[in-house]
Amino acid sequence: MALGEPVCPRNLSVDWTTCPTEVPRDGKVTVSTWLITGCSTGLGRALAEAVLARGHNVVATARDVSALEGIGSAVPDRVLLTRLDVTDDGQIAAAVRAGTDRFGAIDVLVNNAGYGYRAAVEEGDDQDVQRLFATHVFGTVATIKAVLPQMRARRSGGIVNLSSIGARITPAGSGYYSAVKAAVEGLTGALRREVESLGITVMVVEPGGFRTDFAGRSLTQSSTVIEDYVETAGKRRKEVDTVHGTQPGDPAKGAEAIITALEATDTPELLVIGRDAVSNYRAVLTAQLESLEQWREVSENTGFDDQS
């Protein structure tokens, strides 16, 4: 991603809709500013630390600012810790404003905030499901809309949306979580095609199992339990899950992979990270291709008879 130096002054008073859009693209900016949601633990925190280690600025956010303590303590001039609940439009606007006031612009947005939710589809509590979609899908949309005007004006920027291999493998008990991540992936793909001609790079990341709090503190589940699902969705409820603390992925290495891909001249639309994720992705693709071939005749024999 080659981020051109902005023509407009880097401060919030700029009217981004009237800012000149002819931006030189002869190299990357020396220092860019990243706004990362969900930095309290895991990949978000590791990414914030990795970005700072590379000399960039970071607006690190979390619902509880105290959970951000320690991030960038050695380089306080290059970090801003701020409260952000992505379901609160006012907090989103305030975080973008604060980051722009402090550093001049938001060059890269990383939508990482989120949490896990497990339930058989029939067990899902309506309010829980609505909150899940509000966080992962509509929160992602809101943060994107908050930063895109200045990115479009500069003809420069990057957006990274975190998905999950769960969107691909759709395990029993994770139907709702898989659904929100599939929605994020569909949204990201369309967004990439809408803004790539404007100099904005968009990428979705599908992690496998990383040693974070995702399967621990950050994992929620339905209060409803239906006995008929004990051998399917039931096997993944928190009280019987043994994954937490044994995941193969190293968050620090995952963060480096994300930065490397985003800074490449050929940034992928989809970055799969983790050996387990790559293996599962290949297995799903192979099965889908085999199924497509098996049913191809039925699938193709659906046109009007007078069509060749």
Side-chain angles (χ1 to χ4, degrees), residues 41-307:
T41 60
L43 275 172
R45 191 180 189 96
L47 187 58
E49 292 171 344
V51 169
L52 287 169
R54 293 197 181 201
H56 300 299
N57 304 320
V58 170
V59 181
T61 75
R63 288 182 300 169
D64 179 3
V65 177
S66 67
L68 302 173
E69 185 177 352
I71 296 178
S73 56
V75 286
D77 59 318
R78 289 196 285 106
V79 66
L80 173 65
L81 309 180
T82 188
R83 181 185 179 194
L84 175 55
D85 180 340
V86 297
T87 66
D88 186 321
D89 289 348
Q91 288 188 25
I92 292 172
V96 172
R97 186 181 307 115
T100 307
D101 276 343
R102 175 72 175 274
F103 299 117
I106 304 301
D107 299 298
V108 179
L109 168 67
V110 180
N111 280 304
N112 171 73
Y115 60 95
Y117 180 72
R118 291 184 181 171
V121 172
E122 189 180 354
E123 294 172 338
D125 301 319
D126 289 349
Q127 289 186 337
D128 290 346
V129 173
Q130 290 168 5
R131 177 172 171 263
L132 191 73
F133 273 83
T135 300
H136 289 269
V137 182
F138 302 120
T140 293
V141 170
T143 55
I144 289 171
K145 286 186 173 182
V147 301
L148 266 180
Q150 57 173 273
M151 289 184 178
R152 284 191 293 103
R154 296 193 310 271
R155 292 299 195 262
S156 176
I159 296 174
V160 180
N161 295 329
L162 269 290
S163 179
S164 166
I165 193 62
R168 200 74 42 189
I169 63 176
T170 59
S174 290
Y176 292 108
Y177 184 73
S178 298
V180 295
K181 290 307 188 183
V184 167
E185 292 198 11
L187 178 81
T188 305
L191 178 64
R192 180 176 170 113
R193 287 155 183 77
E194 292 164 1
V195 301
E196 59 186 347
S197 64
L198 304 178
I200 302 169
T201 302
V202 180
M203 177 176 72
V204 67
V205 179
E206 267 192 24
F210 278 77
R211 204 162 297 180
T212 69
D213 278 342
F214 177 82
R217 178 184 59 84
S218 299
L219 181 61
T220 63
Q221 62 187 8
S222 64
S223 58
T224 301
V225 179
I226 298 175
E227 187 66 22
D228 281 345
Y229 298 117
V230 68
E231 291 300 318
T232 53
K235 289 185 175 181
R236 303 190 74 244
R237 294 190 68 83
K238 290 184 71 171
E239 56 270 24
V240 296
D241 193 299
T242 59
V243 169
H244 183 52
T246 67
Q247 301 97 323
D250 179 344
K253 291 182 179 179
E256 291 294 339
I258 292 170
I259 297 172
T260 296
L262 187 64
E263 291 185 343
T265 56
D266 56 346
T267 298
E269 179 174 337
L270 169 67
L271 177 68
V272 179
I273 56 174
R275 290 183 180 178
D276 58 328
V278 171
S279 175
N280 283 321
Y281 193 102
R282 283 181 177 275
V284 168
L285 285 180
T286 298
Q288 288 178 336
L289 285 172
E290 290 175 351
S291 180
L292 183 67
E293 285 302 311
Q294 178 183 351
W295 289 91
R296 184 173 64 174
E297 185 176 347
V298 172
S299 300
E300 293 179 344
N301 191 29
T302 52
F304 290 105
D305 291 339
D306 58 355
Q307 291 184 328

